[in-house]
Amino acid sequence: MSDITEIFQRLEQKSVQNKTFAQLEKAYSYAELTDTVHRIGGVFQAQGLTIGDRVILSSRDNFALGSLVLAGLRYGITVILMDPDLGSIRAAELIALCAPKGFFVDASLVDKWDLEKKEGFLFRWVKRAKKKGTLFKKMLGGKKSTGKGEQSFLETLAEMPKADFPDRIDPATIAYILFTSGTTSTPKAVQISHKALWANLDTITRVYELDEHSRIFNILTTYHTDGIMQGPVLAALNTAGWYHPMEFTVDQVPRIFDAIYKYRISHFITVPTMLAFLLKLAEGYEDSFSGEEFRYIVTSAAPFEVKLWEDFEKTFQTRVVNNYGLTETVVGASYSGPEEQTRKVGTIGKPIDCVFRIVDDKGRELDSGEAGELLIKGDNLLTNYLNNEEATRQALQDGWFHTGDIAVRDEEGFYKLVGRKKNLVISGGINIQPEEVSEIINTHPAVVESVCFGVPDPVFGENLHACVVGEAGTDLDAVAIIEHCRTQLEPAKIPKQVFFLNELPKTISGKIKVRAVRELLEKEDVADAVQGESHREGIFAAAAEAFKVPRQQININTTAENLDGWDSMAHLLFVTKLEEQFKIRLSSKEIMVMSTIREAEKIVSQKAR
Amino acid sequence: MDLLTYILFFGLALTLITWLSPARWQIWVILAGTVLFLALEAPVSLLILGLTTGSSYWIFRTSLSLTTATILILVQNITIFVLYKIGIGAALLSPVDRLIPLGLSYYSFRQIHYAIERYKGKVGPHNFGDYAAYMFFLPTILIGPINRFQPFLRNIYRRRWDANLFSEGLERILYGYAKIVIIGNFLLTNKLTAVVTALEGKNEWLATYLRVLNYTLNTYFQFAGYSDVAIGLALLLGFRVMENFNYPFLAPNINEFWNRWHISLSSWCRDYVYTPMASITRKPIIGIIMTMLVIGLWHEISLKYIIWGVYHGLGVAVWHLYNRSELSKRLQNSLPAYDYWAILLTFHFVLFSFVIVKEENWQAIVQTYRLLLGLA
């Protein structure tokens, strides 16, 4: 099994030092990384930290975060990754839970989280935004630094002495702590040991066939296990490159496709939501994963819908590996693909280097085909939840980790997720405990009560919706609720929609009937979906007739570029057929824009409404 | 030094400097190289390109509606284009030089394409630098192709050093050079012309036929050769631009010929002339005739080119009627070697149209047709 001492010996070899460690806003070499890690060690030493001590890390500077995590691992310091988007109340709770020896944070968080008043040392810096006009400033001899207290991470560290590495780190030492939503409103602090971390990353390396030539494109948030462990840490383990040149936003989708090609990416670590966005904006970029260097797309963190999986692979002519794991299993536990014998679309594949069991409520093992809770045993499991014995006792029994996911094993040994035991919403790969959000909404002075729940969504997997009862006579609206949430919650946890009711339906015992509220909203969504689907069939038929091709040849991804019969004459015929069929009149602009079936469906749906 | 060699040396020097520059400056180096080239070769064109590039971008940032902004750009570009094509533009600036400014035919159409794509909402996020890089891209500025903005934008962000692409670029330049120098200049201009001269007075029909054939083939090899050089230079700089020719003389019908000949212009006209015209009138025939007229007038605003455009327009329209007829099906089933006859007929349809373009005046045109048809 790998260990951090041996990894850093490799990183300090001459042949590795010049290699790219990370391509962020700019590129950083392994020489820069190891130099930075030694200087962070200097800070650890100056603060008198010893192996096993805990520090909190929070920054939007990805190089700072990546190198701090690796430094923590190398010096045996337990790093706690805390999302800078956390509100002050939640941050205070988590700091109290973890009792760290100090903080490495962006200067902006010091006031936001009131860190001056907390116990422990404070190491802060400024995350500089990219400035315009740098070239001219340089030419005119402008000064680099912006003054005292305004130094960047590297400038602040430059003043620190370098420290030697400790000889070895005990594998049982806690490597890092990440927070996960539990069954209560307060997140749990998952403690992962060095042993678990390297056991799992060794498995990942083998399954995804990573080596020193690999280039890992991972732009997931570095406060999620998939973003940080399958990003800089996995890259360092393999002396490979970590590519995170932009943050994910919808208008960056074309740049993501471009970056995959430009940087000769071999592995793309992502989540289903990102794949759904890429698929929606695929037109013209279908060859993005066809470069000879490209190996695999790996998706994790959330259920991967069969339709998305199939459509994505068909459109981009590539293979997606579906990885199942939780924060508690480091990263992965089972993998559907890339090997043919472990791949089955719609499943989470088979466990590798760990074992699965499916049990009923009484803990009895179930046969294949029967649904029950999924349990995992292996070296990749958490040590415990920090300062939460009750949660640890419930989750870890006789070495088996209780995932809370309901799964079925088929005859061939493939596992499939069919539900969730705990009330958890996974939206865009982020776990949300609905009670956590309801609790925050309820603190609004004009709210009587509220309930939050997940609603299926084709892009995000699930969306969090909130139903709120306001005080009589108050002028409460969705904007006020969202604004209120924004001050206390990370952006991903803010409800996508807020509905208002005069009262929430309840059981006799006074419990809110979530299902009754949920069904009410789902009905509206289904009505919309049915309308869209009915247009689709008609459009396919019109296209098949106009372009003189079999109906099966037309699908939602058909374009004038990829269908031979779709020439300019046939285009007009297609348009006329659509007009007749849906009793609409299309404008010249609409006719000009309609060069894909997807576009046609969008326009027809709008018109026919 | 002839223009081809000059472009080639300038392009190769620019390629070298570009790749030696830091990655984030490379686009700007190409842009600066283009400005320098135009400043030396065609300052008037540089001025027009600079001003119209600025206006066709910034007009979308004003409070004008999308439709008004688009119409203004169309009016601006079509006006400048027409004024120069009919000789007024050049006369205004210089009474002697009546040539159209270098590259105007190409960059005007690029700007119109950009404006309409913005109107359609089909242009992804970009900034003025991206647009300026597109407009000031040396390889395609002189002789096309009229490459599109969206793939160019994508190239800006995808560019990387790629040895395969680079060697493909060198190969394309070599092919282009061979087409122009060996086939065009040596075989056709020198050798075939000598054969034609020898035949004159002995076999007038053959001499005339070979003269028109020579002109037709030379036009193709010169133009396709220059396009290869342009595409090759773009590849050297890390950009893949659209193809302009795809074996047009092997087209089995005239519609297909236009899908293979000067592809960047014909597809431009399909998207921005045919589709709007056909969708407004709902009469494809009007769209076809208008498209071919624009293609004709793009070359030169004259009665000759109007007739040339209508000739091709009617050809395409008749082919569409034929293609849907019973006759077509019957002939395809009964005529032996139908495909070869189709290629031969299409080639001669095109060859006949070149008579209109080639000859100086109407008497010569009529005389050539009489000779070719055996009426003289």
Side-chain angles (χ1 to χ4, degrees), chain B residues 53-256:
Chain B
T53 299
S55 63
S56 58
Y57 181 85
W58 293 105
I59 207 159
F60 284 109
R61 315 205 82 184
T62 63
S63 55
L64 291 171
S65 73
L66 203 57
T67 314
T68 316
T70 309
I71 291 171
L72 280 176
I73 294 169
L74 296 191
V75 169
Q76 165 194 278
N77 284 289
I78 293 168
T79 308
I80 298 173
F81 183 80
V82 170
L83 284 181
Y84 271 101
K85 284 280 178 185
I86 59 177
I88 295 176
L92 287 175
L93 287 162
S94 151
V96 186
D97 180 13
R98 302 192 56 93
L99 281 175
I100 186 162
L102 201 59
L104 177 80
S105 305
Y106 300 95
Y107 60 70
S108 295
F109 272 43
R110 269 187 214 112
Q111 286 172 357
I112 294 172
H113 145 71
Y114 172 78
I116 298 178
E117 290 302 307
R118 276 198 79 153
Y119 169 74
K120 283 158 66 178
K122 289 280 188 181
V123 179
H126 64 283
N127 54 41
F128 181 67
D130 297 329
Y131 180 55
Y134 166 65
M135 292 310 303
F136 286 83
F137 186 59
L138 185 72
T140 58
I141 214 159
L142 309 174
I143 198 146
I146 306 168
N147 57 322
R148 303 286 174 109
F149 180 63
Q150 293 93 330
F152 189 86
L153 181 67
R154 192 183 169 197
N155 260 283
I156 291 180
Y157 291 96
R158 266 169 63 114
R159 266 182 86 250
R160 62 182 196 190
W161 166 254
D162 188 333
N164 289 336
L165 204 68
F166 197 83
S167 69
E168 194 186 328
L170 288 174
E171 205 174 300
R172 283 303 290 268
I173 292 172
L174 198 68
Y175 281 146
Y177 219 88
K179 279 180 192 165
I180 299 164
V181 177
I182 301 173
I183 304 179
N185 295 353
F186 179 72
L187 288 178
L188 295 171
T189 309
N190 290 351
K191 296 292 165 191
L192 189 59
T193 307
V195 173
V196 171
T197 314
L199 278 169
E200 272 167 13
K202 292 177 195 155
N203 188 336
E204 271 310 314
W205 180 85
L206 192 56
T208 310
Y209 179 80
L210 288 180
R211 210 166 33 236
V212 181
L213 182 73
N214 191 351
Y215 182 83
T216 307
L217 293 180
N218 218 336
T219 307
Y220 166 67
F221 282 109
Q222 297 283 348
F223 195 6
Y226 276 104
S227 290
D228 281 341
V229 173
I231 292 166
L233 275 177
L235 287 170
L236 293 188
L237 291 167
F239 286 82
R240 189 179 283 285
V241 298
M242 69 188 297
E243 292 294 331
N244 226 2
F245 293 92
N246 177 24
Y247 304 104
F249 294 140
L250 295 181
N253 60 63
I254 191 63
N255 189 60
E256 183 58 20

Side-chain angles (χ1 to χ4, degrees), chain A residues 261 264 284 287 579 599, chain B residues 119 122 154 160-161 282 320:
Chain A
Y261 176 86
R264 297 182 158 85
D287 64 348
E579 288 181 333
E599 198 81 55
Chain B
Y119 169 74
K122 289 280 188 181
R154 192 183 169 197
R160 62 182 196 190
W161 166 254
R282 304 296 162 116
H320 274 294

Side-chain angles (χ1 to χ4, degrees), chain A residues 337-383:
Chain A
E339 297 277 328
E340 199 55 53
Q341 59 268 32
T342 63
R343 175 184 150 92
K344 190 169 188 181
V345 172
T347 73
I348 54 168
K350 294 176 178 177
I352 297 181
D353 294 343
C354 59
V355 279
F356 280 10
R357 267 176 80 189
I358 292 176
V359 298
D360 66 12
D361 286 344
K362 296 197 172 71
R364 287 175 302 213
E365 187 155 3
L366 296 170
D367 284 335
S368 54
E370 291 183 290
E373 188 181 8
L374 180 65
L375 272 51
I376 305 175
K377 194 177 208 171
D379 283 343
N380 56 328
L381 294 185
L382 74 161
T383 304

Side-chain angles (χ1 to χ4, degrees), chain A residues 135 138 251 254-255 257-264 283-288 292-293 548 561 567-573 575-576 579 585-589 591-596 599, chain B residues 23-25 66 116 118-122 124-126 130 150 153-165 255 270-272 274-276 278-280 282-285 288 320 324:
Chain A
L135 174 63
K138 272 187 192 165
D251 66 354
R255 299 293 90 81
F257 289 125
D258 296 334
I260 301 279
Y261 176 86
K262 181 186 173 90
Y263 296 119
R264 297 182 158 85
E283 195 186 336
Y285 291 96
E286 293 86 350
D287 64 348
S288 295
E292 57 188 34
E293 307 88 356
K548 296 195 173 48
E561 294 293 319
D567 59 24
S568 45
M569 285 292 278
H571 182 69
L572 201 62
L573 197 63
V575 167
T576 319
E579 288 181 333
R585 178 81 180 170
L586 297 164
S587 70
S588 300
K589 183 178 178 180
I591 294 170
M592 284 167 76
V593 166
M594 208 185 275
S595 56
T596 66
E599 198 81 55
Chain B
R24 62 205 156 106
W25 292 354
L66 203 57
I116 298 178
R118 276 198 79 153
Y119 169 74
K120 283 158 66 178
K122 289 280 188 181
H126 64 283
D130 297 329
Q150 293 93 330
L153 181 67
R154 192 183 169 197
N155 260 283
I156 291 180
Y157 291 96
R158 266 169 63 114
R159 266 182 86 250
R160 62 182 196 190
W161 166 254
D162 188 333
N164 289 336
L165 204 68
N255 189 60
R270 179 198 64 211
D271 293 346
Y272 307 126
Y274 171 81
T275 308
S279 58
I280 290 166
R282 304 296 162 116
K283 289 190 169 57
I285 182 83
I288 292 169
H320 274 294
R324 281 151 201 259

Side-chain angles (χ1 to χ4, degrees), chain A residues 85-90 112 435-450 452 466 468-469 475-491 493-495 498 500:
Chain A
D85 283 327
L86 278 181
S88 57
I89 296 173
R90 180 68 76 219
K112 185 181 168 190
E435 287 82 358
E436 181 188 353
V437 183
S438 306
E439 189 187 82
I440 295 290
I441 294 175
N442 291 347
T443 61
H444 189 287
V447 169
V448 175
E449 60 178 349
S450 70
C452 292
V468 178
V469 178
D475 195 14
L476 192 63
D477 62 6
V479 177
I481 297 293
I482 303 277
E483 282 302 317
H484 177 69
C485 290
R486 218 186 288 281
T487 59
Q488 297 301 331
L489 291 165
E490 302 95 294
K493 292 183 177 174
I494 295 169
V498 181
F500 289 90

Side-chain angles (χ1 to χ4, degrees), chain A residues 382-445:
Chain A
L382 74 161
T383 304
N384 59 11
Y385 295 113
L386 176 65
N387 296 331
N388 195 341
E389 279 175 30
E390 173 60 20
T392 307
R393 202 174 43 76
Q394 280 180 10
L396 278 173
Q397 292 170 22
D398 301 327
W400 287 94
F401 173 65
H402 291 242
T403 63
D405 286 319
I406 307 294
V408 183
R409 184 182 63 248
D410 69 13
E411 294 295 335
E412 297 166 277
F414 287 95
Y415 288 80
K416 186 178 179 177
L417 297 182
V418 291
R420 228 169 277 147
K421 201 174 170 187
K422 50 196 179 188
N423 184 23
L424 192 71
V425 175
I426 305 181
S427 185
I430 304 287
N431 291 3
I432 307 169
Q433 189 61 42
E435 287 82 358
E436 181 188 353
V437 183
S438 306
E439 189 187 82
I440 295 290
I441 294 175
N442 291 347
T443 61
H444 189 287

